[in-house]
Amino acid sequence: MVEDVNNSIPLFKKIDRSVFERIDKFKLTPGYNNLQDFYNGLEEEQQKLFKAVVILLIFLLPTMILGLVWWQNTSLKEDLATRQALITKANEIIGQNQGLREIFPSVLSQNPIDGQDMMSSRMSNMLSAAGIELSKIQVKNYNGEMISSVVMKSEADFAFSNITTDELMNVFVNMIQREKFRIQSVDIKRNNDTGLLQGQFHAIHFSNAQNTEEEE
C-alpha cells in the first residue's frame, strides 16, 4: 500500500508549502509587477527594510495561522465540554424524575392537607376508624408550604391526653401507613395512677399537590 505523501508532511511544512505556492501564483499576476516597480523605486535602505518586513511576515504567517487554529480548537473543545456537561446533567435530572415517579406512591400521600381544619378532620377520621375518642388528640401549630411544584409539606404538633399505649400506637400506625405521615418527635408522660399517657408529638405529611390541581 502506497503511503499518502501529503499526510506524512509535518504541519509546518504544509503551511510553508501553501504560503510559497500562493507567492508563486501571486508572481504571475499584474499586481506583482506593480509591487516590483514600487520596490525598484525605493532607496537601498528602504529596500532592505522592505525585505526584512516581508521575510518577517513570511515567518510569522504560519505561526499566526497555527495560533488561529489553536484558538478555534480551544473554543470548540470548551463548547463541546459544555454541551457534554449539559447532556450529562439533563440525563441525571431525567433519571431522578423517573426515580421519583416510581417512589411517589410509597412516599407521598395522594391526599394533600392544606390547612389546620383539614389536618384536624383527617385526624378525626383516623381516630373514628380506630374507635378512639376524638377529644384525646388535638392538632396545634399547623404549618404548610409548597416545597416544589409537585410536593406539598404539612406539619403540626399533636397534643394527646388520657390515651392508652395501645391507642397511641394504633394512631401512629394509621398515620404512617394510611396517611404517609412521618413522626418526627414524641414527648410522652405516663400517669402512674391511671396508666394513661399524655404529651405531644410532631408529625410531617408530604403529599402530591398535583392531585389538588387536577380536582380543581
Side-chain angles (χ1 to χ4, degrees), residues 40-198:
N40 292 332
L42 297 175
E43 297 179 1
E44 184 177 353
E45 291 299 323
Q46 292 176 329
Q47 289 180 351
K48 290 181 180 179
L49 179 61
F50 184 80
K51 282 183 179 180
V53 171
V54 171
I55 292 172
L56 180 63
L57 289 175
I58 290 174
F59 279 102
L60 285 179
L61 187 59
T63 304
M64 293 171 62
I65 294 174
L66 282 177
L68 180 62
V69 171
W70 175 83
W71 178 78
Q72 288 179 335
N73 285 340
T74 302
S75 299
L76 289 174
K77 286 181 180 179
E78 291 177 354
D79 182 66
L80 179 61
T82 302
R83 290 174 182 271
Q84 289 176 336
L86 288 173
I87 291 172
T88 301
K89 189 64 178 177
N91 286 333
E92 289 179 1
I93 293 172
I94 291 172
Q96 289 172 356
N97 287 339
Q98 291 175 342
L100 285 174
R101 290 192 194 99
E102 293 176 359
I103 65 172
F104 265 9
S106 62
V107 175
L108 300 182
S109 169
Q110 302 305 306
N111 301 306
I113 299 175
D114 60 4
Q116 182 156 330
D117 289 342
M118 184 177 288
M119 182 75 81
S120 298
S121 175
R122 197 69 58 84
M123 176 57 68
S124 296
N125 291 337
M126 286 187 288
L127 292 176
S128 296
I132 302 172
E133 293 180 20
L134 305 185
S135 61
K136 289 187 175 183
I137 297 182
Q138 303 294 323
V139 179
K140 298 181 178 181
N141 303 322
Y142 169 85
N143 183 47
E145 61 177 333
M146 293 294 298
I147 59 175
S148 76
S149 60
V150 176
V151 180
M152 181 176 186
K153 175 184 177 183
S154 303
E155 58 184 317
D157 293 322
F158 298 82
F160 57 90
S161 61
N162 299 322
I163 192 170
T164 67
T165 302
D166 288 341
E167 287 175 335
L168 185 60
M169 290 302 103
N170 230 356
V171 170
F172 286 164
V173 169
N174 274 281
M175 290 181 72
I176 294 171
Q177 292 185 349
R178 179 178 169 181
E179 295 291 343
K180 308 258 184 328
F181 274 92
R182 297 292 179 268
I183 309 300
Q184 189 176 49
S185 62
V186 181
D187 180 19
I188 301 176
K189 293 180 181 179
R190 184 173 181 275
N191 187 317
N192 292 327
D193 295 333
T194 62
L196 299 177
L197 307 178
Q198 65 179 24

Side-chain angles (χ1 to χ4, degrees), residues 26-37:
F26 175 67
K27 288 180 179 180
L28 301 176
T29 64
Y32 176 76
N33 293 329
N34 294 333
L35 183 62
Q36 189 70 29
D37 293 339

